[in-house]
Amino acid sequence: MNKLRSSAITQGVQRSPNRSMLRAVGFNDEDFNKPIIGVANGYSTITPCNIGLNKLALRAEESIRRSGGMPQKFGTITVSDGISMGTEGMKYSLVSREVIADSIETACNAQSMDAVLAIGGCDKNMPGAMIAIARMNIPSIFIYGGTIKPGKLHGEDLTVVSAFEAVGQLTSGKINERRLIEVEKNCIPGAGSCGGMFTANTMSAVIEVLGLSLPHSSTMAAEDLEKELSAEKSAEILVSAIKKNIRPLDLMTKKAFENAISVIMAVGGSTNAVLHILAIANTAGIDINIDDFERIRQKVPVICDLKPSGKFVTVDLHNAGGIPQVMKILLNAGLIHGECKNIEGKTITEYLQNIPDKPPSNQNVIRGIDNPLYKKGHLAILKGNLAKEGSVAKISGVKNPVLTGPAKIFESEEDCLKAILNNEIIAGDVVVVRNEGPVGGPGMREMLSPTSAIVGQGLGEKVALITDGRFSGGSYGLVVGHIAPEAAIGGNIALIKEGDLITVDAVKQLIEVDLSDEELEKRKNNWVKPKPKYKRGILSKYSKIVSTSSLGAVTDL
């Protein structure tokens, strides 16, 4: 066995008092020669995403013991994006990614753990755990809590986004109050993360592609037995990885991150993947930047027909072959690097060997490479005088991703949503929501409520919404987020006035306001930096240290 970090505690100079502490939590004489494995458990009853995690933690804990390791469980936080969406509480969502990373790093390093098995469900659990894993570089594996099964109403598949869109449908007279309540009661049937290719399922797929979770595990349903069996297997594989000294930074190569970007393009993943991949890569010391997404988008088509803009949910993708089937199609097309390895020590080419070259003929979720949903990826990186560092446009489901229109300006998400629900937004408008960035929000709230209301009113193809905040993985339409530099630090989005003409052109990768450099400079000279919204607490601290979104909104540059 390799020399263990915990040996300083279990066998070192101060071993008598340290070993006494460990005996008190269940160590016997023979356990001091075993690797100590942290089980970072994101279980909570706050959200359906995480309510099923404890049973996975218990299965993994027992499996670690059987496999020759010594588990030590500890908790880490989560927040529910779905519950906090559209409220002040959503400002804590992205912040929670850093809290999760910091807490896992703190517990593992303070106790000199030899490895970590992290278990999470809601959106920020995955990137938070991965940032910690990259920082520590001890043998690690991630267990995804699993996706939720679709809700059903009159034969229609529902997701959490269905409830948000129903609000817009109600205000535009498309449905009545009774239908709204029916959707609300039926869209989330049980445990698991939001069921479409939203942020949680996007990031679980990213981790599978990076090799830090087991093949097929990223699309399993939370309530199915195979998820528990996968947790047991994950623990066994982690103990094996300790013996083989397979570490995260052995797997997190530039080519592995390029593979992850290719897969999220192919499956139609969330815009948040851009932010989180940049953050994880930065922590791992890998040179991945925002332009790499556009480079890869140009050659990788969207081959999966998944919600929010498509027809199917993640359990349908799983039944059609899951992420390995998508990867096999991309591998055969030369669109991913087959030499990258996973936590089992296998190359992608090796572990995809028995995956069929073509998706099953009895399904419509995954298409062949020659019959894509879209010929290019759906996450476009736009630049221009409104986003010199870049911005992210999600253009899946948009027939004409080009719009020039007058700016309708809002200084917060709440003001924007109020205007939409009051039918003040009309076709051709460019809705601008600013001062919602990493610093200005602070915390980069997601604009799911406004975007869903716009779609619900039938304006998804006719209105653009741009922001220095983020979008939920459930958002779609002509939406552009992550505009950098953000308004709060003097980015040009802060200088726009009501009625200024703005062009969003995802074909030319352009976002600009029809103003001369001289006019922008004049307005910049008259701009007054807004005062911080919070003077104490975590939001205050976060706003002082967070980076620009073009670097992943990280806090440890």
Side-chain angles (χ1 to χ4, degrees):
M1 184 178 292
N2 295 295
K3 185 176 181 181
L4 303 178
R5 296 204 311 169
S6 60
S7 61
I9 287 180
T10 59
Q11 301 174 30
V13 175
Q14 300 183 31
R15 73 179 189 175
S16 179
N18 288 327
R19 285 166 61 129
S20 296
M21 297 291 287
L22 291 170
R23 289 185 190 279
V25 296
F27 277 64
N28 296 315
D29 287 346
E30 62 272 18
D31 295 327
F32 291 107
N33 293 317
K34 299 175 182 177
I36 295 177
I37 299 175
V39 179
N41 184 5
Y43 165 74
S44 81
T45 59
I46 288 174
T47 172
C49 310
N50 289 44
I51 199 168
L53 298 188
N54 208 44
K55 65 181 180 182
L56 303 183
L58 293 172
R59 296 287 284 254
E61 179 185 29
E62 182 57 34
S63 183
I64 288 171
R65 292 183 191 275
R66 287 198 308 268
S67 302
M70 197 59 191
Q72 287 195 307
K73 285 193 300 184
F74 61 92
T76 185
I77 69 155
T78 194
V79 299
S80 173
D81 289 3
I83 294 172
S84 61
M85 195 73 68
T87 73
E88 282 283 296
M90 191 62 193
K91 293 182 177 181
Y92 290 86
S93 170
L94 187 57
V95 177
S96 76
R97 184 188 75 180
E98 311 307 304
V99 176
I100 292 165
D102 292 349
S103 67
I104 294 174
E105 177 194 359
T106 299
C108 289
N109 282 349
Q111 304 308 127
S112 298
M113 294 177 186
D114 300 303
V116 64
L117 181 151
I119 308 174
C122 202
D123 293 8
K124 308 310 172 297
N125 297 181
M126 272 79 70
M130 292 297 285
I131 288 170
I133 284 168
R135 287 178 188 169
M136 298 183 296
N137 197 33
I138 58 176
S140 307
I141 198 165
F142 184 83
I143 296 174
Y144 179 40
T147 184
I148 201 168
K149 294 181 178 180
K152 298 284 186 179
L153 183 61
H154 308 314
E156 177 187 354
D157 281 351
L158 300 179
T159 68
V160 64
V161 176
S162 305
F164 284 90
E165 290 181 359
V167 174
Q169 292 166 348
L170 179 69
T171 59
S172 62
K174 294 185 176 181
I175 63 173
N176 57 26
E177 186 82 21
R178 179 180 177 183
R179 168 71 181 187
L180 175 66
I181 298 300
E182 285 182 330
V183 171
E184 175 194 316
K185 289 182 176 180
N186 289 279
C187 66
I188 302 178
S193 299
C194 298
M197 190 47 66
F198 309 148
T199 301
N201 288 320
T202 298
M203 292 311 300
S204 69
V206 165
I207 297 172
E208 181 176 323
V209 177
L210 288 175
L212 283 152
S213 64
L214 297 186
H216 292 286
S217 66
S218 69
T219 54
M220 292 176 179
E223 297 180 325
D224 286 353
L225 177 61
E226 67 174 346
K227 175 49 66 178
E228 296 183 45
L229 299 177
S230 178
E232 289 185 2
K233 182 68 173 179
S234 297
E236 294 174 16
I237 294 298
L238 178 57
V239 175
S240 177
I242 297 170
K243 296 174 182 178
K244 297 175 183 177
N245 197 27
I246 298 175
R247 296 173 182 260
L249 296 188
D250 299 331
L251 309 177
M252 291 182 179
T253 63
K254 184 177 178 69
K255 287 183 177 180
F257 279 103
E258 290 178 336
N259 286 350
I261 296 170
S262 294
V263 169
I264 64 167
M265 294 295 177
V267 300
S270 166
T271 54
N272 284 311
V274 178
L275 196 73
H276 298 323
I277 286 176
L278 289 172
I280 298 164
N282 169 75
T283 305
I286 303 299
D287 180 24
I288 290 289
N289 61 58
I290 197 168
D291 294 324
D292 289 316
F293 288 83
E294 184 61 36
R295 171 176 60 84
I296 292 171
R297 181 184 84 88
Q298 291 291 333
K299 60 182 182 180
V300 178
V302 179
I303 60 172
C304 295
D305 189 6
L306 295 166
K307 290 181 180 293
S309 60
K311 298 176 183 176
F312 300 100
V313 294
T314 304
V315 290
D316 297 321
L317 173 62
H318 185 67
N319 293 333
I323 296 302
Q325 181 64 78
V326 175
M327 293 176 70
K328 185 63 175 282
I329 294 169
L330 297 179
L331 179 67
N332 288 344
L335 294 173
I336 59 173
H337 308 285
E339 67 270 29
C340 294
K341 293 185 177 181
N342 74 350
I343 189 67
E344 298 177 273
K346 297 178 181 179
T347 67
I348 287 174
T349 300
E350 288 171 341
Y351 74 74
L352 294 181
Q353 189 172 9
N354 295 324
I355 301 297
D357 291 330
K358 295 182 179 181
S361 59
N362 62 347
Q363 57 80 46
N364 296 306
V365 186
I366 306 173
R367 299 190 179 195
I369 201 76
D370 55 351
N371 182 35
L373 209 63
Y374 307 103
K375 293 182 179 180
K376 294 181 180 180
H378 64 300
L379 299 180
I381 304 302
L382 310 188
K383 292 187 175 182
N385 66 3
L386 272 183
K388 293 184 178 181
E389 294 178 12
S391 61
V392 183
K394 186 175 185 180
I395 56 175
S396 50
V398 179
K399 295 183 177 66
N400 181 26
V402 180
L403 190 148
T404 296
K408 291 284 185 72
I409 298 175
F410 304 95
E411 304 296 342
S412 72
E413 178 186 5
E414 287 88 350
D415 290 344
C416 175
L417 181 60
K418 182 179 179 181
I420 295 168
L421 297 181
N422 286 338
N423 298 309
E424 295 171 16
I425 303 302
I426 61 173
D429 283 344
V430 177
V431 178
V432 180
V433 186
R434 63 190 180 193
N435 290 304
E436 290 283 8
V439 174
M444 264 187 117
R445 285 194 291 181
E446 295 178 345
M447 304 293 128
L448 179 59
S449 295
T451 58
S452 297
I454 286 171
V455 170
Q457 291 185 347
L459 294 172
E461 291 276 356
K462 304 169 185 176
V463 167
L465 190 151
I466 71 173
T467 181
D468 51 9
R470 297 183 294 134
F471 293 109
S472 162
S475 293
Y476 64 101
L478 191 52
V479 296
V480 184
H482 308 196
I483 288 177
E486 63 174 293
I489 62 172
N492 285 347
I493 188 174
L495 311 179
I496 307 169
K497 295 180 180 179
E498 191 84 7
D500 286 344
L501 282 180
I502 293 175
T503 294
V504 176
D505 189 335
V507 176
K508 296 180 179 178
Q509 294 90 56
L510 181 68
I511 181 169
E512 65 179 8
V513 59
D514 186 16
L515 296 172
S516 66
D517 292 344
E518 292 77 15
E519 176 62 21
L520 286 170
E521 185 64 27
K522 178 181 176 182
R523 293 187 186 185
K524 182 66 177 290
N525 291 335
N526 294 324
W527 175 74
V528 177
K529 183 178 176 66
K531 293 181 180 180
K533 297 174 182 175
Y534 299 86
K535 296 181 179 180
R536 295 287 187 275
I538 193 168
L539 294 183
S540 174
K541 288 187 285 187
Y542 181 85
S543 67
K544 293 173 183 174
I545 61 175
V546 68
S547 78
T548 178
S549 59
S550 64
L551 297 177
V554 294
T555 56
D556 57 356
L557 280 178

